[in-house]
Amino acid sequence: MTPAAAPVGGAARTLEERIRAQAYGLGFDLVGLTTLGPAETAAAFDAWFARGYAGEMHYLARWAAERRDSRRPHPGARSAVVVALDYGGRSPSGPVARYARGDDYHDIMREKLRELHRWIEGEVGHPVNGRPYVDTGPVLERDLARRAGLGWFGKNTNLINPHIGSFFFIGALFVDLELAPDAPFQADRCGRCTRCIDACPTDAIVEPRVLDATRCISYLTIEAREGMPEELRGRVGALVYGCDICQEVCPWNVRFARELADGSPFAAREVIAGKGARALAREILAMSQEDFAAEFRRSPMKRAKLRGLKRNAAVVLANVGTTEDVDVLTRALADPEPLVREHAALALGRIADDS
Ligand code: B12
Ligand code: SF4
Ligand code: SF4
């Protein structure tokens, strides 16, 4: 069976087949097994970091030896069940990247992986030393997923699967079992296409498969804690949080991206659903800390904190706002955060220049 295909009936026999079937049953969209060991792309990671492309994400420098070899993050672990969970690439574009519109995927995937862990212990009849990883440890998850056969590294750096595209999260359950691995995904299906590189508004994909995160809108609106660089502010356009552009233009998503399942926890929550960039930016700028805590409870958008979201909202209003937004921006000039005041003032200046 290829890792891309859901099982099609018949009694599952080996432990590997039963694990795959159980993981699909828990709702994962792709499942692959791999043996842990040295990461093939460790050198690509080191070169990327050495070029300063990680920006302020200093945490990526920690646990370097663990990142280079997936046997190290969880002592004793020998294999990984690597999974993908689709977050709905067919949902319409919007000011918030699709992955961040609903509930936080870390919690959802970790819980499902814990359930899989308990199920495996039941199947083998003894405790299994294991641990779920979803963004939480020093693991090169795209590397691990390619190794487990889930897809190839697109030129936009995302892992792409030929059946479902790239709008999916990656997670892994490390276990101290010796599981027969799936074949790594060897092909490069990008061919001569360069659509993602051409479409990136900030020219962040500096070479095929190399992303200067400090230019990436996803980084600028989520990870960066300080001001938005002047050169890039205008290019952020109407994006309040995250960016999907290099995935939206990818032919593999145009063709194979999926609809969100009914009742999916990744469906847009009320504060975001159906809102255009201006309306959302205005709402965010007017939020108190209490409103923020209530509206973004269990949301990945909490990561930017209210000050980061307000900075982004001001940048978006600078780009697409009108004189009708002067009121909310003027009130933001009294925000306790200098970062917010600075970007609100810049936005007011821009609107004044344009009107
Ligand atoms: C830091 C980080 C970011 C940073 C930097 C991203 C980057 N491309 O470097 C920022 C904040 C910009 C970011 C953005 C996004 N991220 Co992010 N991010 C991560 C994180 C925590 C670490 C990634 C990392 O180590 N980057 C350093 C680079 C060097 O590694 P890499 O991107 O994984 O690239 C690998 C390959 O491309 C390959 N490679 C690199 N160069 C070369 C060159 C050659 C020649 C070859 C053959 C291979 C190769 O080796 C690298 C290391 O294994 C991972 C989770 C994890 N622990 O892995 C999630 C993760 C990669 N992100 C994810 C997502 C969903 C996103 C966004 C789509 C969110 C959004 N909509 O805004 C965007 C996509 C932007 C993009 N084009 O990549 C998913 C990706 C799922 C997928 N299908 O690929 C992950 C795996 C989280 C998860 N658990 O699901 N992210
Ligand atoms: S996520 Fe957006 S800004 Fe980042 S590389 Fe892709 S298109 Fe460029
Ligand atoms: S847009 Fe083209 S080059 Fe970029 S990841 Fe998709 S197939 Fe590869």
Side-chain angles (χ1 to χ4, degrees):
M1 181 193 304
T2 75
V8 282
R13 287 170 291 122
T14 64
L15 176 61
E16 289 80 358
E17 284 169 332
R18 283 179 282 141
I19 289 175
R20 283 189 202 95
Q22 182 66 14
Y24 283 115
L26 285 169
F28 290 118
D29 296 281
L30 302 172
V31 185
L33 306 181
T34 189
T35 307
L36 300 177
E40 267 180 44
T41 59
F45 177 90
D46 290 344
W48 174 83
F49 195 85
R51 286 165 84 175
Y53 291 156
E56 296 172 36
M57 297 184 289
H58 306 295
Y59 74 92
L60 290 170
R62 294 199 285 268
W63 306 100
E66 282 74 6
R67 216 176 287 278
R68 278 189 206 114
D69 187 331
S70 54
R71 283 169 303 196
R72 298 186 68 146
H74 189 73
R78 284 174 291 170
S79 307
V81 184
V82 188
V83 295
L85 189 60
D86 198 285
Y87 56 86
R90 286 251 173 264
S91 311
S93 297
V96 174
R98 290 168 181 78
Y99 91 92
R101 294 176 188 172
D103 291 346
D104 195 322
Y105 65 98
H106 301 94
D107 305 339
I108 292 167
M109 288 186 83
R110 263 203 309 267
E111 190 41 49
K112 279 180 190 287
L113 288 169
R114 279 194 204 104
E115 211 175 320
L116 183 65
H117 186 186
R118 288 192 293 269
W119 180 88
I120 293 173
E121 292 185 315
E123 283 295 289
V124 298
H126 57 78
V128 172
N129 174 16
R131 184 176 166 175
Y133 286 94
V134 184
D135 256 11
T136 34
V139 177
L140 295 173
E141 293 175 349
R142 286 167 169 160
D143 183 281
L144 199 68
R146 191 204 66 84
R147 187 179 169 108
L150 266 46
W152 77 97
F153 305 125
K155 289 182 191 172
N156 59 15
T157 77
N158 287 289
L159 197 86
I160 310 178
N161 176 275
H163 301 277
I164 68 170
S166 64
F167 285 106
F168 57 80
F169 303 114
I170 298 170
L173 177 65
F174 283 27
V175 285
D176 71 350
L177 299 172
E178 205 72 64
L179 298 173
D182 288 304
F185 199 102
Q186 297 293 8
D188 167 10
R189 304 264 183 101
C190 285
R192 282 159 43 175
C193 173
T194 56
R195 283 195 209 181
C196 52
I197 298 173
D198 303 338
C200 175
T202 55
D203 301 317
I205 308 170
V206 290
E207 286 166 36
R209 302 181 176 86
V210 181
L211 181 86
D212 177 354
T214 66
R215 299 187 68 83
C216 176
I217 295 168
S218 181
Y219 170 87
L220 294 169
T221 56
I222 302 172
E223 300 294 329
R225 296 287 164 250
E226 298 313 324
M228 190 86 68
E230 189 180 352
E231 182 219 344
L232 300 176
R233 254 181 252 143
R235 305 206 215 173
V236 168
L239 297 176
V240 172
Y241 193 87
C243 173
D244 284 336
I245 293 173
C246 58
Q247 296 194 84
E248 285 168 347
V249 299
C250 177
W252 293 93
N253 287 324
V254 171
R255 181 119 192 247
F256 298 113
R258 293 182 173 183
E259 295 288 354
L260 255 191
D262 279 349
S264 166
F266 305 128
R269 52 181 63 203
E270 210 181 314
V271 63
I272 296 163
K275 278 206 185 97
R278 267 188 65 213
L280 180 62
R282 289 178 61 87
E283 181 147 355
I284 288 172
L285 270 177
M287 267 182 191
S288 65
Q289 198 58 48
E290 292 70 34
D291 299 335
F292 172 70
E295 295 288 3
F296 293 107
R297 197 170 155 260
R298 285 207 296 263
S299 156
M301 289 178 71
K302 274 197 314 214
R303 185 165 176 87
K305 305 209 165 40
L306 184 55
R307 70 192 280 280
L309 283 188
K310 287 192 176 185
R311 169 202 59 197
N312 301 348
V315 169
V316 163
L317 289 183
N319 293 335
V320 299
T322 70
T323 47
E324 286 171 26
D325 302 313
V326 167
D327 56 349
V328 72
L329 285 165
T330 305
R331 281 194 292 275
L333 292 177
D335 196 278
E337 286 286 347
L339 180 74
V340 178
R341 296 201 297 270
E342 179 199 337
H343 284 75
L346 287 164
L348 284 166
R350 177 91 185 267
I351 290 172
D353 286 348
D354 291 349
S355 55

